[in-house]
Amino acid sequence: MREIRLTLPRGSAEAVFDLARAAGIAEASVHEVRVLGRETTAEEMTLKSSAPKIRTFLRELLRSPLFDRRTVRFSAHEVLALVNEESARRVTVPAGVPLTDVHHDLWRYCHITASFVARTWVSAALLAYAMLKSDTLLAVGALIFTPFSPLVLSTALGVAGRRTELTRQALRVLAVAFVLTVSSAAITGALVGGPMLAEDFGGPTRNFVASALIGVMAALADSDEVGRRQLLGLAMAYPFVRLIVWLGLTLALGVPDDGERLHDLLLLAGNAVVMTAAAATTYRVIGHDGELAGLPR
């Protein structure tokens, strides 16, 4: 369920509400506001409805000549309960989160902050230690906090929507996360010491099929209010974050006798490319009706 708050030029609320009505939204509240900083008056409209109806409305609004980024603004808010004349069964349909929500949510993960650096470094150190000690429980906990899953999805959405700035920023942050993870794993390996245990990452076929399926599921979950994103984030991280940490450990402790660093690098690159392509394709299918084209830049 979603609430949309729009700031509109005076006299345009009725025309905008026609788009909402066509999307199945029965009512809206409107009141006049004074916009500080612009020294003008405007109309503020509030709409509340199920996610699919809000998504349909926003798609039509962004494609409409009524929408001008200089004069029309809107914000999206999640609603936990919405009691009106509609049945709970209809108003709680979770599928169809607007791609504008997905776009802005993914952008939040594409900034390098002190928290980002700390989470990346510590999660990589914990995962490296867990791999050295064969501690599965600790490895799962460490994977939850790795930053790679939303960055892969950000790259995929940028490619699907032809949003070059998002794609470039996501790739920059991915590169930083890669360097932080490899260096953290290498230092952990040097401090903890060996021996390096053999790791079976599987063959290309198994990895790439799993990466494709996970990429599709993750993109679908990103557009669904009940997609269990945390668990899918863990699933996304598993195919390639362990490989990045493994490479860092080999820098400090060397490659085991039966290990192949080049093979692992190719497997890592393949997993990342396949997962990104699968997620991007899924976003293209979800936004095939023009919604991707309306995403803000």
Side-chain angles (χ1 to χ4, degrees), residues 25-231:
I25 301 172
E27 61 182 29
S29 61
V30 181
H31 61 275
E32 189 173 282
V33 295
R34 185 163 61 96
V35 182
L36 298 178
R38 291 176 177 263
E39 304 305 328
T40 60
T41 57
E43 293 175 327
E44 185 171 274
M45 173 183 286
T46 302
L47 302 164
K48 298 178 184 179
S49 190
S50 63
K53 291 181 180 180
I54 291 293
R55 179 183 173 187
T56 300
F57 162 71
L58 287 179
R59 182 177 65 243
E60 296 305 317
L61 175 66
L62 292 171
R63 293 162 53 178
S64 167
L66 294 170
F67 185 70
D68 185 339
R69 299 182 193 279
R70 295 168 297 180
T71 57
V72 177
R73 290 168 172 76
F74 68 85
S75 60
H77 310 270
E78 187 174 4
V79 176
L80 297 180
L82 181 56
V83 180
N84 56 20
E85 72 279 2
E86 288 191 274
S87 67
R89 179 178 180 176
R90 296 189 64 182
V91 81
T92 57
V93 176
V97 170
L99 287 183
T100 49
D101 288 19
V102 176
H103 176 259
H104 278 67
D105 182 53
L106 290 176
W107 253 114
R108 292 190 302 167
Y109 292 95
C110 293
H111 299 279
I112 300 173
T113 63
S115 172
F116 168 85
V117 173
R119 284 185 289 108
T120 304
W121 186 271
V122 173
S123 63
L126 289 175
L127 182 55
Y129 181 84
M131 291 175 69
L132 287 172
K133 301 300 181 181
S134 300
D135 189 332
T136 304
L137 186 60
L138 180 59
V140 170
L143 283 168
I144 291 174
F145 296 99
T146 58
F148 292 93
S149 303
L151 294 174
V152 170
L153 288 176
S154 299
T155 305
L157 183 61
V159 170
R162 297 184 175 89
R163 294 301 181 263
T164 306
E165 187 177 357
L166 174 60
T167 304
R168 287 176 179 170
Q169 182 64 12
L171 290 174
R172 289 190 196 104
V173 181
L174 267 171
V176 173
F178 180 86
V179 172
L180 287 171
T181 300
V182 169
S183 58
S184 177
I187 292 173
T188 302
L191 292 175
V192 176
M196 281 283 288
L197 302 177
E199 286 278 347
D200 179 17
F201 295 109
T205 301
R206 189 181 80 182
N207 272 268
F208 297 163
V209 170
S211 293
L213 293 175
I214 290 170
V216 171
M217 288 191 298
L220 289 174
D222 223 26
S223 306
D224 192 317
E225 290 180 315
V226 291
R228 298 292 187 269
R229 298 181 188 180
Q230 294 83 354
L231 295 180

Side-chain angles (χ1 to χ4, degrees), residues 239-250:
F240 58 92
V241 177
R242 290 190 313 140
L243 276 162
I244 299 174
V245 170
W246 175 256
L247 292 171
L249 287 172
T250 62

